[in-house]
Amino acid sequence: MMSWHVDAPGSLGTHPLVRRLVPRPEIGANELLVRVLACGVCRTDLHVAVGDLPVHRRNVVPGHEVVGLVEAVGTAVDAFKPGNRVGIPWLHSTCGVCRYCLRGAENLCPNSTYTGWDVNGGFAEYTSISEGFALKLPSGYTDNELAPLLCAGIIGFRALERADLPEGGRLGVYGFGASAHLATQVALARGAQVHVMTRSKSARELAYDLGAASVQGAYDHPPELLDSAILFAPVGDLVPTALEALDRAGVLSIAGIHLTDVPVLNYQKHLFYEREVRSVTSNTRRDAQEFLEFADNHHLRVSTMPYPLSGANRALEDLAADRVTGAAVLVP
């Protein structure tokens, strides 16, 4: 099969992804062999490729928003059969026995592993997943539309939950890419008023089209104080900007796995009146199930830009340069 590997993380100008022909994955008793139909290109894949995140596996195959067909199953698999359509997300495994797993916070498991970082992912023609972490997919979506739901959608959903938005509240969204445009639709469906701050002209147009109450530049103030905000852009300079826009007792949820350094905060200006900052660390399988159930019951508009599998480096370059509206998706 053909697959892309991060041999040595580096700048996009060096084309850090290297294409190879390698054997198909071998599967264990509890695993599925999956033929990739579509794989979303997440900003985390960009962080892995350029070295913003430490190397967890040498020569790893990125990609953790995988929609595929089950080609074969291990001898102990019960829930899936060959021919089933399946989703492969970021969370690949947890230990199941630590205090975090036992209290329902498996996303904090110290022994957790991740698709496209610790194990090979979906920038390939085939990949594999254990039965316990594979996802059943909602109906009514194409393969390309489903792919971004498996990380951008799920992590945006968790970020929205962490933002503790009151019913009918005012939500600020900073950055408007793959995850933000899906979380915005969830918030709107729940009756929220959404204000979007982003630098991309095409993203601003999409935000208005989806129903945002206002759209302005990334560092601009929304027209009213916010009950909650989500920072999707990996830009630490936006943290004080977002905090200044919060009303009393407002919550800022930071959705990314990587963030540039946060400037010094002024207690009175940014944090007083019980304003909070919360990070988001991966997601649990329960988050995934709840979000995919929501997507099944409330059809989401998923904006995608397809690329052939051979165009993986170009997809990363376009993502880094804000040339992607919605989500980039690789299609073998």
Side-chain angles (χ1 to χ4, degrees), residues 78-164:
D78 294 320
F80 296 91
K81 297 178 180 179
N84 289 162
R85 192 163 63 160
V86 67
I88 300 177
W90 173 239
L91 186 65
H92 179 267
S93 72
T94 58
C95 72
V97 297
C98 70
R99 63 191 178 112
Y100 303 103
C101 287
L102 294 176
R103 75 184 194 203
E106 65 180 1
N107 60 312
L108 302 179
C109 174
N111 299 305
S112 55
T113 63
Y114 299 94
T115 309
W117 193 19
D118 298 285
V119 298
N120 287 334
F123 283 22
E125 294 176 307
Y126 290 85
T127 190
S128 61
I129 184 69
S130 65
E131 177 185 27
F133 288 83
L135 298 176
K136 295 184 178 181
L137 297 169
S139 59
Y141 297 87
T142 66
D143 297 330
N144 284 13
E145 291 171 331
L146 283 168
L149 301 185
L150 296 171
C151 179
I154 293 169
I155 207 66
F157 181 79
R158 183 171 181 84
L160 181 59
E161 297 294 286
R162 292 279 291 160
D164 203 16

Side-chain angles (χ1 to χ4, degrees), residues 53-75:
L53 296 177
V55 175
H56 277 197
R57 175 175 178 155
R58 288 179 58 82
N59 308 318
V60 72
V61 177
H64 55 274
E65 297 178 324
V66 183
V67 176
L69 283 180
V70 178
E71 289 273 315
V73 299
T75 56

